[in-house]
Amino acid sequence: MPGLDYFSTPENGVSISTAPVQLNHEDSTPSPMETSAPGVYYNPRLDPKNYLEGPLSPNPATRLRQMLARPGIVVAPGICDGISARCALEAGFDCLYQSGAATTASRLGQPDLAIATMNDFVQAAQVVCSINPSVPVIADADTGFGGPINVARTVRQYAAAGVAGLHIEDQVQTKRCGHLMGKQVVSREEFITRIRAAVIARDSIPGGSDFVIIGRTDSAQVLGMEEAITRLKLAADAGADVCFIEGVKTEELLRSTVAALAPKPVLVNVISGGLTPSFTYQDAERMGAKIIIFSLVSCVAMVHAVRAAMQSLKKTGTDFSSAKGMDPKAFFEVMGLNEVVELDAKAGGSAFKEV
């Protein structure tokens, strides 16, 4: 299937600017006033107005675009594995966030310091996306795991795993959690190259993918809010569907960010004790944010619960108190036991007549 002409004029369907971003070469620090972006990516098929009407799609990427186009904030709790995904779905959440920090901790037992690979993230996504394939999962993709070719491969692998959208950031390859100190970011050019590569890869998926590309900048703590806004505007011009500014420290800054980037949707990340205040999702919606993620809600809760259970077991010699009356069957029911039994029975099986 022939690919789209990514460098065509808007009337030919898809347009994307490839003009280089100008830098102040005396100190290699980008200057917001020196940006040259004569062209703006536009794909008429992905115009938000096309997602305003009709029932929610069973396709998770299409459903996410519908949720972004329609009223109401998208609330995505951070999940790190099958158990946390099951618990989030049981609570009634209709979008999930696969946190990079939580995934690194859950799968590797390591901190969020660029230790996990693309394969680690994709394998985790395959698990959580398979539980309810219609529920959109937004997944952290760090820096894209390399140059433009790696970014493109990441997009294709995430989409194949069932992910609805991902975010690509502008940290250096040896990145760290966005709420730790000492971050470093790449140049504007390199960041926008990552976004373009992601957009081109998405648009190359046969059949016309609705996969959502989120541009994330960590530059606010490094180069200031003005530069962060400029980078996100450039990302939006390059085709990012959503803008994500990490570490917004006040309500006023979030409001001004939303206003500066309108009409692009803005994502805000809340981590208890992190750089961003503990906004509720109602707060964030009132400030104009369209997506709010709570990156560490599940894995931090797990640490507290598992620590307490292990300490209790060590002290008392039994897990009776930490189980809180949950027997094996009740646990498996949270993991989807009844659905499995029902499917087996419908298919004419008899293995689970009694469980």
Side-chain angles (χ1 to χ4, degrees):
M1 178 178 179
L4 293 173
D5 179 4
Y6 303 104
F7 309 107
S8 63
T9 56
E11 57 267 28
N12 290 332
V14 177
S15 173
I16 186 167
S17 166
T18 59
V21 179
Q22 301 299 315
L23 297 180
N24 179 341
H25 293 288
E26 289 184 2
D27 59 6
S28 297
T29 299
S31 171
M33 300 307 295
E34 296 173 339
T35 299
S36 175
V40 174
Y41 171 93
Y42 178 67
N43 186 337
R45 186 181 65 79
L46 300 178
D47 194 302
K49 69 176 183 294
N50 297 328
Y51 300 89
L52 288 170
E53 305 294 335
L56 290 175
S57 173
N59 178 284
T62 303
R63 181 176 290 221
L64 180 56
R65 286 190 179 272
Q66 291 172 320
M67 294 165 72
L68 291 173
R70 300 175 188 188
I73 191 168
V74 177
V75 183
I79 50 92
C80 57
D81 59 9
I83 295 177
S84 55
R86 284 283 186 184
C87 291
L89 293 171
E90 182 185 56
F93 288 100
D94 54 10
C95 186
L96 305 178
Y97 173 62
Q98 181 179 304
S99 160
T103 300
T104 302
S106 176
R107 294 186 67 82
L108 305 179
Q110 296 289 337
D112 185 16
L113 298 174
I115 297 170
T117 67
M118 185 200 72
N119 288 338
D120 293 317
F121 282 67
V122 169
Q123 289 163 8
Q126 289 170 338
V127 172
V128 299
C129 292
S130 68
I131 294 173
N132 187 334
S134 293
V135 173
V137 174
I138 299 169
D140 189 346
D142 283 356
T143 62
F145 307 104
I149 301 303
N150 302 86
V151 172
R153 179 169 179 259
T154 296
V155 169
R156 291 191 293 266
Q157 292 288 310
Y158 275 45
V163 173
L166 56 68
H167 60 76
I168 298 283
E169 68 196 47
D170 59 354
Q171 284 197 56
V172 297
Q173 293 295 338
T174 50
K175 61 144 293 176
R176 63 194 62 194
C177 171
H179 291 254
L180 295 178
M181 298 298 102
K183 291 186 293 184
Q184 295 177 297
V185 295
V186 297
S187 67
R188 286 183 190 174
E189 292 102 330
E190 187 168 348
F191 175 44
I192 301 309
T193 296
R194 291 174 183 175
I195 299 299
R196 286 199 188 109
V199 171
I200 290 171
R202 188 270 312 286
D203 288 350
S204 299
I205 295 173
S209 173
D210 283 341
F211 193 82
V212 174
I213 305 297
I214 302 169
R216 163 178 158 172
T217 184
D218 285 72
S219 61
Q221 288 77 53
V222 183
L223 302 174
M225 284 295 296
E226 186 177 8
E227 175 62 22
I229 295 296
T230 298
R231 287 182 175 225
L232 289 179
K233 287 180 177 179
L234 289 169
D237 287 349
D241 301 294
V242 178
C243 294
F244 173 3
I245 187 164
E246 183 66 292
V248 180
K249 293 185 176 181
T250 67
E251 175 176 340
E252 291 72 22
L253 287 176
L254 179 54
R255 286 185 181 276
S256 62
T257 299
V258 170
L261 296 171
K264 281 290 179 180
V266 170
L267 182 154
V268 61
N269 179 24
V270 173
I271 296 177
S272 180
L275 295 172
T276 300
S278 293
F279 300 135
T280 66
Y281 66 80
Q282 296 94 339
D283 292 334
E285 183 172 23
R286 177 170 45 81
M287 297 172 209
K290 187 60 186 179
I291 305 177
I292 185 168
I293 58 176
F294 296 88
S295 295
L296 300 184
V297 62
S298 61
C299 61
V300 169
M302 286 181 180
V303 168
H304 288 307
V306 175
R307 267 182 168 174
M310 293 300 176
Q311 290 166 2
S312 175
L313 175 60
K314 181 71 172 176
K315 181 178 180 180
T316 67
T318 177
D319 69 345
F320 181 80
S321 61
S322 62
K324 297 182 179 179
M326 178 176 279
D327 62 22
K329 185 175 181 180
F331 170 72
F332 295 136
E333 284 174 347
V334 179
M335 298 302 110
L337 174 65
N338 293 335
E339 291 91 333
V340 173
V341 171
E342 182 180 351
L343 186 150
D344 183 75
K346 283 183 176 179
S350 57
F352 304 115
K353 284 186 176 180
E354 183 178 0
V355 290

